């Protein structure tokens, strides 16, 4: 049996502070019920994100000591370049301080106002970076990907027929590139199959448009391919990664996910003239091309992390830790997105709290109670994160799904802590009828979820 218990032991521990319910309630009220504004040392289990929260290995920590902090030509740059080349096959690697800078560089170079960038689903920063160019960020995930109850092995797939129609309607001039996010974060951390990536590439080739991956969670995606896609069971995850990356011409990467580091990212592809254009911009806004906004030691940590993340013992543990949390919730009747994705369990807040309308942020209601009563931090991926007021009609626009994400940091929490999380959510689910909706008191014009302030509605105003 390929048993997915922790394939590591604990060498260093980080004590967690116990905070009373009263103190948590006070902190949350002071934060405008916005979990991003709560100090992290007041949180028991932090499932806000799997990004930048990984525990590094002894080898990665040792790698920091061989950081070469030369301004130009650091040896760690070459180590990272080699790691990226071996894994992806892309020979140009441009380091950035994190994923969103890779997005900014790529879209600033390729995208013009009025154009459309299709993706299976854009995540928040990707969408914001496309829109910052005056372009439209269009989500084309398959319909099954939008149904939280539909069991499909590759719910992250991009709808090829919709993509064809988009090209037929607008022509290639309007579409500067196509992106696929692996795994598809907004849709529940769902994987994309190689067959789908190939079919998308075929359409892109026909129209002469480049296909890029948003590759943050590529290793988790490749593990699912090995597990689920016909013909891949006997291939190594490393081989599968190489095959997957060959379907695109390049990628943006946040090393904070499957790079197993706390900071870092890169842009990688084979096109030398694109590299020249991106580098000119990089020099102005990020740094010299051999460090790109990072210290030499950070480059080394990421080079080692990218190789470690392809360990199949690690991936079996990782994917199954997340899956087991989902199974505990599912067995207790908590509505979750199925099948469970790679980095997180997503609770379907609209089914969890059917008495709270989308205009009262059901997902955020659950986030508030999870922290106040149990010290757990989750994140809303729904009306608060993606809802907005249409400037033309003045109407509120809500996303199709209202989810609460329990993102699991890599190699950080024990299975016992995961059980505590499951029990907490199950207890809230039993008491859900007493929960009340929220209203917005302040919102910023972009990425409002990071700084929004909310207030709990009085019982009298709750719609039932
Ligand atoms: C997350 C974080 C980052 C991300 C991503 C995809 C598919 C690019 C990026 C940007 C963001 C986040 C969300 C909620 C709470 C905290 C953090 N995703 N593409 O957790 O990468 O952060 O390195 O600039 O998921 O999903 P970077």
């Amino acid at each position: 049996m390929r048993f997915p218990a922790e394939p590591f032991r604990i060498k260093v521990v980080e004590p967690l502070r116990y905070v009373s319910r009263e103190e948590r309630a006070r902190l949350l009220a002071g934060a405008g019920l916005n979990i991003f504004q709560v100090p992290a040392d007041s949180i028991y289990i932090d499932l806000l994100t799997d990004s930048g929260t990984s525990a590094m290995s002894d080898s990665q920590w040792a790698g920091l000591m061989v950081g070469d902090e030369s301004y130009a030509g650091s040896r760690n740059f070459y180590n990272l370049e080699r790691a990226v080349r071996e894994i992806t096959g892309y020979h140009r690697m441009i380091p950035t301080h994190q994923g969103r800078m890779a997005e900014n560089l790529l879209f600033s170079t390729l995208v013009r106002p009025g154009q459309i960038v299709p993706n299976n689903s854009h995540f928040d920063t990707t969408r914001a970076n496309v829109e910052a160019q005056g372009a439209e960020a269009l989500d084309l995930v398959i319909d099954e990907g939008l149904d939280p109850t539909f069991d499909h092995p590759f719910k992250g797939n991009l709808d090829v027929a919709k993509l064809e129609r988009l090209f037929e309607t607008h022509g290639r001039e309007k579409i500067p590139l196509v992106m696929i996010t692996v795994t598809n974060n907004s849709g529940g951390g769902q994987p994309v199959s190689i067959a789908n990536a190939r079919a998308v590439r075929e359409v892109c080739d026909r129209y002469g448009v480049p296909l890029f991956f948003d590759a943050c969670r590529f290793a988790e995606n490749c593990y699912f391919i090995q597990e689920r896609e016909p013909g891949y069971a006997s291939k190594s995850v490393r081989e599968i990664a190489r095959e997957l990356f060959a379907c695109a011409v390049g990628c943006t990467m946040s090393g904070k996910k499957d790079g197993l580091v706390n900071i870092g990212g890169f842009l990688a592809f084979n096109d030398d003239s694109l590299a020249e254009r991106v580098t000119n911009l990089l020099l102005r806004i990020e740094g010299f091309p051999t460090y790109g906004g990072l210290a030499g030691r950070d480059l080394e940590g990421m080079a080692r992390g990218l190789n470690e993340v392809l360990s199949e013992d690690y991936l079996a543990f990782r994917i199954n830790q997340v899956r087991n949390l989902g199974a505990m919730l599912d067995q207790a009747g908590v509505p979750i997105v199925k099948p469970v994705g790679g980095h997180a369990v997503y609770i379907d807040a609209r089914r969890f709290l059917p008495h709270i309308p989308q205009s009262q942020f059901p997902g955020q209601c659950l986030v508030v109670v999870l922290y106040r009563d149990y010290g757990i931090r989750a994140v809303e991926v729904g009306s608060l994160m993606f809802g907005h007021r249409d400037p033309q009609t003045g109407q509120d626009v809500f996303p199709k799904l209202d989810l609460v994400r329990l993102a699991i940091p890599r190699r950080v929490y024990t299975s016992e802590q995961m059980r505590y999380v499951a029990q907490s959510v199950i207890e809230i689910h039993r008491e859900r009828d007493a929960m009340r909706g929220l209203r917005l008191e302040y919102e910023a014009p972009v990425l409002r979820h990071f700084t929004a302030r909310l207030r709990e509605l009085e019982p009298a105003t709750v719609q039932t």
Side-chain angles (χ1 to χ4, degrees), residues 184-454:
N184 187 29
N185 190 3
S186 310
Q190 302 292 340
V192 175
S193 69
I194 292 214
N196 183 251
R198 263 202 200 117
V200 172
R201 172 65 184 266
E202 204 264 317
V203 175
C204 289
D205 281 353
R206 220 174 327 123
Y207 287 91
V209 165
L211 169 64
F212 281 82
F213 287 134
D214 178 340
C216 303
R217 300 177 179 88
F218 75 97
E220 291 167 5
N221 197 96
C222 291
Y223 183 86
F224 283 120
I225 291 172
Q226 187 192 57
E227 189 180 72
R228 297 178 185 171
E229 187 158 359
Y232 288 92
S234 60
K235 292 197 179 170
S236 71
V237 173
R238 186 178 274 277
E239 285 169 322
I240 295 169
R242 193 62 191 251
E243 212 173 310
L244 181 69
F245 280 113
C247 298
V249 301
C251 68
T252 58
M253 175 77 189
S254 166
K256 298 172 73 173
K257 288 85 172 170
D258 274 349
L260 296 177
V261 285
N262 307 117
I263 194 73
F266 59 83
L267 188 56
F269 44 74
N270 282 319
D271 182 337
D272 290 330
S273 76
L274 179 62
E276 199 180 308
R277 289 159 71 200
V278 168
T279 302
N280 290 337
L281 188 56
L282 181 88
L283 281 163
R284 181 163 65 80
I285 63 175
E286 180 77 332
F288 191 78
T290 60
Y291 71 82
L294 292 170
R297 56 179 171 272
D298 298 327
L299 300 171
E300 187 64 31
M302 188 156 47
R304 295 182 185 209
L306 286 168
N307 281 310
E308 284 179 15
V309 80
L310 292 170
S311 150
E312 299 192 10
D313 287 343
Y314 158 74
L315 282 169
F317 160 71
R318 161 72 177 161
I319 298 294
N320 283 293
Q321 187 182 44
V322 177
R323 192 177 283 160
N324 287 341
L325 174 63
M328 287 187 271
L329 296 178
D330 187 35
Q331 276 156 23
V334 176
I336 59 167
V337 173
K338 287 200 251 183
V340 173
H343 65 293
V345 174
Y346 289 69
I347 300 170
D348 184 346
R350 289 176 72 180
R351 277 193 294 142
F352 194 108
L353 296 169
H355 62 290
I356 300 182
Q358 276 193 296
S359 57
Q360 294 178 12
F361 309 107
Q364 189 65 13
C365 298
L366 183 51
V367 168
V368 164
V369 175
L370 255 177
Y371 175 65
R372 197 160 51 200
D373 292 352
Y374 298 93
I376 298 165
R377 174 153 71 172
V379 69
E380 192 256 20
V381 183
S383 306
L384 184 59
M385 188 180 275
F386 292 121
H388 61 274
R389 182 150 296 170
D390 188 307
Q392 261 128 46
T393 64
Q395 298 281 312
D396 285 329
V397 182
F398 297 114
K400 292 197 179 81
L401 300 178
D402 254 274
L403 305 175
V404 170
R405 186 180 73 170
L406 305 170
I408 314 301
R410 294 170 181 78
R411 307 192 289 208
V412 170
Y413 290 117
T414 64
S415 303
E416 197 58 39
Q417 286 168 321
M418 290 295 100
R419 237 194 310 276
Y420 171 80
V421 172
Q423 280 164 5
S424 305
V425 175
I426 291 164
E427 275 179 34
I428 298 173
H429 190 238
R430 282 197 208 109
E431 308 290 323
R432 63 190 180 279
D433 291 345
M435 285 170 63
R436 285 185 269 154
L438 307 174
R439 77 179 153 78
L440 259 180
E441 290 214 307
Y442 163 76
E443 66 176 305
V446 285
L447 297 172
R448 67 178 183 178
H449 49 291
F450 290 125
T451 52
R453 295 185 71 82
L454 300 106

